[in-house]
Amino acid sequence: MSIYQKILVAIDLTEEAPQVLNKAVEVSKALGAQLILAHVVEPVGYAYGGDIPMDLTELQDQLDKAAKDQLSQYGDQYGVSKENQVVTVGRPESEIHRLSKEQDVDLVIVGSHGRKGFQLLLGSTANGVLHGTVCDVLAVRIH
Amino acid sequence: MSIYQKILVAIDLTEEAPQVLNKAVEVSKALGAQLILAHVVEPVGYAYGGDIPMDLTELQDQLDKAAKDQLSQYGDQYGVSKENQVVTVGRPESEIHRLSKEQDVDLVIVGSHGRKGFQLLLGSTANGVLHGTVCDVLAVRIH
């Protein structure tokens, strides 16, 4: 039995994603584990935060769709099937924790910039993921 | 070529070390990587911090020797040769960063309690290691 059966890789959709994906695919293959490819779309409201009431539903739907399309392209490129692709909306750390519990994942892979200080404490997904998951976490250093 | 050639596992010498060691050995085998087993002894002065000048050299030497003995036992048990065992003295995070650069390590494995909040921000080795290494970090959740 392999030490990791089910691996979840959580990526953003920037040009840095392939670095994390590459590692995740290689590790999963080497360990014979199932790989789930996840992306968390942050709710538009978080970024907007304005005082004027606006209906952001349509914008959110567009973002979700764009994310699904992009993830699906990565899926094709890296050989991750549709059933193993997940797009959700929420706070990245919380969603990654929720997904990894729900899907009974035993290793989460995320990218890490290795920033120091406040920037990291307040913002980094790798950091947030490390603090709350019940499974192991592989932080892939982004170069 | 395997994605990781040289893995460093940094352990404390508590009863939790075998959980981390087990994972490190399995991962290294599966990936065909060299495994370096490291332990960092914290300088006695850090813990003492008293006002009365004392010569702590002998105590420090005893601690170093005890650590080397314990590491060597783990080495025998987990099949890590003497050349791949390192005991150093210093701050765990800094020493792990230094060792991983010096030895050209591409993955560092550490244990993680996944504590939240201040306790982690101030004290956790996994956290400190994550913030400063230039290589990937696998945090093994301790149960």
Side-chain angles (χ1 to χ4, degrees):
Chain A
M1 199 191 82
S2 174
I3 41 163
Y4 297 120
Q5 308 285 317
K6 210 167 177 179
I7 297 175
L8 181 143
V9 57
I11 56 165
D12 57 19
L13 300 173
T14 68
E15 73 280 9
E16 291 166 345
Q19 294 184 40
V20 182
L21 257 170
N22 261 324
K23 283 269 172 72
V25 167
E26 294 278 344
V27 169
S28 311
K29 273 188 196 156
L31 301 178
Q34 181 189 347
L35 182 64
I36 299 169
L37 175 55
H39 173 70
V40 183
V41 181
E42 294 197 62
V44 182
Y46 286 15
Y48 174 62
D51 287 333
I52 306 161
M54 277 177 68
D55 184 7
L56 301 166
T57 324
E58 200 179 325
L59 181 56
Q60 186 72 58
D61 287 349
Q62 280 172 13
L63 283 175
D64 293 1
K65 194 184 168 309
K68 275 180 191 146
D69 289 350
Q70 178 65 60
L71 211 70
S72 159
Q73 275 183 37
Y74 278 136
D76 291 348
Q77 200 179 334
Y78 289 87
V80 179
S81 66
K82 274 269 175 289
E83 310 85 69
N84 289 324
Q85 296 172 20
V86 188
V87 173
T88 62
V89 181
R91 263 175 61 85
E93 296 90 321
S94 328
E95 283 301 298
I96 294 168
H97 295 160
R98 190 184 59 77
L99 281 174
S100 57
K101 265 186 218 164
E102 204 176 276
Q103 305 249 0
D104 211 11
V105 160
D106 40 27
L107 176 66
V108 170
I109 302 181
V110 284
S112 164
H113 285 98
R115 292 190 198 97
K116 289 189 181 201
F118 273 113
Q119 212 179 346
L120 186 102
L121 298 183
L122 297 175
S124 153
T125 304
N127 207 50
V129 168
L130 181 62
H131 294 192
T133 36
V134 290
C135 67
D136 295 357
V137 177
L138 173 61
V140 173
R141 178 55 37 109
I142 289 165
H143 294 287
Chain B
M1 199 190 81
S2 173
I3 39 165
Y4 297 119
Q5 308 284 317
K6 210 168 178 179
I7 297 175
L8 181 141
V9 58
I11 55 164
D12 57 19
L13 299 173
T14 66
E15 72 281 6
E16 291 165 347
Q19 294 184 39
V20 181
L21 258 170
N22 261 324
K23 281 268 171 73
V25 168
E26 295 277 344
V27 169
S28 312
K29 274 189 196 158
L31 302 178
Q34 181 188 347
L35 182 64
I36 298 169
L37 176 55
H39 173 70
V40 184
V41 181
E42 294 197 62
V44 183
Y46 287 13
Y48 173 62
D51 287 333
I52 305 160
M54 278 177 70
D55 183 6
L56 300 167
T57 323
E58 201 179 323
L59 182 56
Q60 185 74 59
D61 287 349
Q62 280 172 13
L63 283 176
D64 293 1
K65 194 184 168 306
K68 274 180 191 145
D69 290 349
Q70 177 66 59
L71 211 69
S72 159
Q73 275 183 36
Y74 278 136
D76 291 346
Q77 201 179 333
Y78 288 88
V80 180
S81 67
K82 274 269 175 290
E83 310 86 70
N84 289 325
Q85 296 171 21
V86 189
V87 173
T88 63
V89 181
R91 265 174 59 87
E93 294 90 322
S94 327
E95 282 301 298
I96 294 168
H97 295 159
R98 190 186 58 77
L99 280 175
S100 56
K101 265 187 219 160
E102 204 177 278
Q103 306 250 358
D104 211 11
V105 160
D106 40 27
L107 175 67
V108 170
I109 302 181
V110 285
S112 163
H113 284 98
R115 290 190 200 96
K116 291 192 183 199
F118 273 113
Q119 211 180 348
L120 187 104
L121 299 182
L122 297 173
S124 153
T125 304
N127 206 52
V129 168
L130 181 61
H131 295 191
T133 35
V134 290
C135 66
D136 294 358
V137 176
L138 173 61
V140 173
R141 176 57 36 109
I142 289 165
H143 294 288

